[in-house]
Amino acid sequence: MAPALEDGEFDNDDYYSLLNVRREASQEELKGSYRRLCMLYHPDKHRDPELKRQAEQLFNLVHQAYEVLSDPQSRAIYDIYGKRGLDVEGWEVVERKRSPVEIREEFERLQREREERRLQQRTNPKGMISVGVDATDLFDRYEEDYEDVPGGGFPHVEINKMHISQSIEAPLTTSDTAVLSGSLSTHNGNGGGNINVALRRVTSAKGWGEVEFGAGDTHGPLLGMKIFRNLTARCFVTAQCGLHFSSRGVRPGCTTMLARHLDKNTMGYLQWRWGTQSSMNTSIVRDTKTSHFTLAMQLGIPHSFMMMSYQYKFQDDDQTKVKGSIKAGFFGTVVEYGAERKISRHSVLGATVSVGVPQGVSLKIKLNRASQTYFFPIHLTDQLLPSAVFYATVGPLVFYLAIQRLVIRPYVRSQKEQDLEKHRESSASDIARKRQEAESAVLLMQESVRRIIETEESKMGLIILNAWYGKFVTDNSQKHERAKVIDVTVPLQCLVKDSKLILTEATKSGLPGFYDPCVGEEKSLKLLYQFRGVMHQVLSPEGEALRIPKQSHRIDADT
C-alpha cells in the first residue's frame, strides 16, 4: 500500500487488493478483473431494493478503483502517495504526458507550498544537558587517610561540572530564519553563560548565509558570520569568521572547511582553523548501511593527533550499533569503545568507555530523546586500573539489561498498546464502513458462489470448505489472548476460476468481502479446501502471494 500523506491518518482503500491484481498489472489484467467484479456487483442483477442499493455502492467503488489504476497519471500518483495523494489541490494543472518521476517532483512542489503556509507555526527546539561526575574516589582512595575521618569509609562522588544549552528556530519568511540560543556552564564552583541570536537567509538552492550576535560573561560580546555554498554537485564549502571582544582586546578567529563526495558513501573533508588555536585537519568518512568509518589527522596548536574510528550497525529493529576508536597525539593516547541502542520510538541510549594515558578511565553515558541530548561523563580514575575498566564495561551492561527487562520493555509494550488503541478509535468509523461493505459483498456473492461450487463439484475441482482471516492464537501468544478472525469462505470461493485461486501480495483486507478484524496486528489467512476429492490446508501470512491448489498443501491420511 502506498504511504499515507499524514502520520496517523487511516487509509484502508487498497485498489490493487480490491481488484485482486498485482501492482505491476497490465491494462488487460485490470480490465479482466474489473469486468468480472462488474458482473458480480451490477445493480440490475438484484431486484431486492436493499441488495440493489448495496450492489450500487460496491459497483461504484470498483469503478472508482478501475478509473484510477487505468489512467497512467492517476496510477503514478496513487502508487507514490496513496489515495490521499489524488486529493491534493493543483493536480489539474499537471500535464497528463508527464512521467511518474515528473509527477513525483510536481507532487513534492505542491507539498512544499502547503508546508510554506504552515511555516510560521513551526520551531525546531534543540537542547543539551551535560552533567560531569567525579567518581575517582571509588578507585583512587588511600585507605590510611580515611581511618580517622568521620564517614571516611564511604567513597565520595560529586558533580564537578554542568552545562545546559538550548536553541529554537523562528521562521520569519520562506527563506529567512532567526535562531535564538543560550547556554549556562559551571565547573568546580565557577560558571557563566551566554546568549546568541543568529539570522539565517537561504540565498539560493546552492547556499545560505548567517550572521550571529552574542553576549555573555564567558567569552564577552561576539560578532560572527557563516557561509555555506555548493560549489558543484559533489563539493561544498563552509566559512565561519568571528570576533570576540573582551578586556584583553579583540580575538579574531576563522574556520574554513572544504568537503567533497569521493564516491556514493565516502566524504573527504579539509579544514583550516586560524586564531588562538590554529590547526589544519583532514578526514575521510565512509558511511554505509552497515558501518561507519572515520580516519582523521590534525596538525595544529596546541594539539596534533591522528584518529581512527569504526562503527558497526546491526540490521535489527533496535538499530544497535557498536563502535571503537583510537586517538593518539601530543596529549597522549585514548582508546574508546561502546555501543548504542534505540530503547523507544524517540530515544537512543549509548555508553562509551574511554581509556587513555594520562587521562585515565572514564564512562560516558548519553541519552538522545527527540531533539534533546542528556550527557553524563563519569571520571572513574586518573590511572590505568583493570578494575576500573572492568566495572566501566560490565556495570552499564548489567544495569541496561535490568532496566530493559524491568522498565523499558513494559513501558514500550504499554505505549504500543495505547497507540494501537488510539489508532483503533480514530479508524473505528472506517472499519465499520469496511465491515458493512464486506457483509454486503458476501450477500451479493451468494448466487455466484452457488454456481461456482456446482461447476467445481461437477469436475472435482477446487472447493473452499473453510477460510478464516485475522489473528490466530499460537503457542507464542500471550496468556488469555483470543483469536480475532472473520469467515471469508464465500469471498474466496467467489474468486475461484478454472479450479484455481490466485491472490496477489496486496493487503488481503482490501479483497471483496474482506475487512480488517484486528487493526495494527499481524494477520494471516487460513484455508481448508478440497481438490480432486483430497483435503488440503494452508496458512498464508499477510503480504504474501497465494496460489492454490498445491501438492504441498495436501493433508495426509495419517494426519
Side-chain angles (χ1 to χ4, degrees), residues 190-202:
N190 299 317
N194 60 71
I195 185 170
N196 295 67
V197 177
L199 300 176
R200 184 187 307 145
R201 164 165 284 192
V202 179

Side-chain angles (χ1 to χ4, degrees), residues 132-138 154-160 378-380:
V133 179
D134 184 357
T136 55
D137 202 33
L138 291 173
F154 297 96
H156 184 62
V157 178
E158 63 178 7
I159 296 175
N160 61 355
I378 305 172
H379 189 50
L380 300 177

Side-chain angles (χ1 to χ4, degrees), residues 6 32 46 70 129 146 155 157 160 218 241-242 283 325 328 337 349 381 395 411 475 498 500 510 515 533 542 550:
E6 302 290 345
H46 305 279
S70 61
I129 297 177
Y146 286 84
V157 178
N160 61 355
T218 54
C241 297
S283 60
S325 68
Y337 58 91
L349 180 64
T381 175
Y411 173 77
D475 296 337
D498 298 330
K500 295 179 182 178
Y515 68 93
E542 179 78 320
K550 274 190 175 182

Side-chain angles (χ1 to χ4, degrees), residues 242-255:
L243 296 174
H244 291 272
F245 301 89
S246 65
S247 58
R248 298 180 181 179
V250 180
R251 292 182 300 162
C254 184
T255 301

Side-chain angles (χ1 to χ4, degrees), residues 184-310:
L184 294 172
S185 300
T186 177
H187 188 195
N188 292 330
N190 299 317
N194 60 71
I195 185 170
N196 295 67
V197 177
L199 300 176
R200 184 187 307 145
R201 164 165 284 192
V202 179
T203 56
S204 67
K206 293 186 176 182
W208 52 266
E210 181 178 287
V211 178
E212 183 179 11
F213 307 91
D217 54 4
T218 54
H219 300 292
L222 165 68
L223 175 62
M225 181 177 66
K226 186 174 183 180
I227 298 174
F228 171 88
R229 180 75 177 178
N230 280 311
L231 302 179
T232 66
R234 298 169 60 89
C235 183
F236 67 87
V237 63
T238 63
Q240 182 175 2
C241 297
L243 296 174
H244 291 272
F245 301 89
S246 65
S247 58
R248 298 180 181 179
V250 180
R251 292 182 300 162
C254 184
T255 301
T256 303
M257 183 184 70
L258 178 66
R260 178 178 173 81
H261 286 275
L262 303 180
D263 60 35
K264 181 180 179 181
N265 300 308
T266 308
M267 289 288 296
Y269 298 91
L270 187 60
Q271 179 176 282
W272 297 271
R273 181 181 292 115
W274 175 77
T276 56
Q277 295 185 352
S278 299
S279 65
M280 183 183 73
N281 183 295
T282 181
S283 60
I284 296 176
V285 179
R286 180 170 178 80
D287 190 15
T288 66
K289 185 178 180 180
T290 59
S291 65
H292 182 94
F293 174 78
T294 302
L295 179 64
M297 181 180 68
Q298 175 175 300
L299 299 175
I301 302 172
H303 295 306
S304 296
F305 65 85
M306 288 192 65
M307 187 272 291
M308 183 174 64
S309 68
Y310 180 80

Side-chain angles (χ1 to χ4, degrees), residues 6-32:
E6 302 290 345
D7 293 339
E9 289 187 356
F10 182 80
D11 189 354
N12 197 33
D13 293 328
D14 187 340
Y15 289 158
Y16 289 99
S17 181
L18 178 63
L19 299 180
N20 191 30
V21 293
R22 302 174 297 114
R23 299 190 71 85
E24 304 81 15
S26 64
Q27 290 292 334
E28 289 72 19
E29 290 176 289
L30 289 171
K31 188 176 295 185

Side-chain angles (χ1 to χ4, degrees), residues 104-117:
R104 185 188 189 99
E105 293 175 351
E106 183 67 16
F107 181 88
E108 291 173 349
R109 183 188 68 79
L110 295 172
Q111 285 289 84
R112 284 196 298 270
E113 291 180 356
R114 295 175 62 197
E115 192 70 22
E116 289 171 0
R117 291 193 290 265

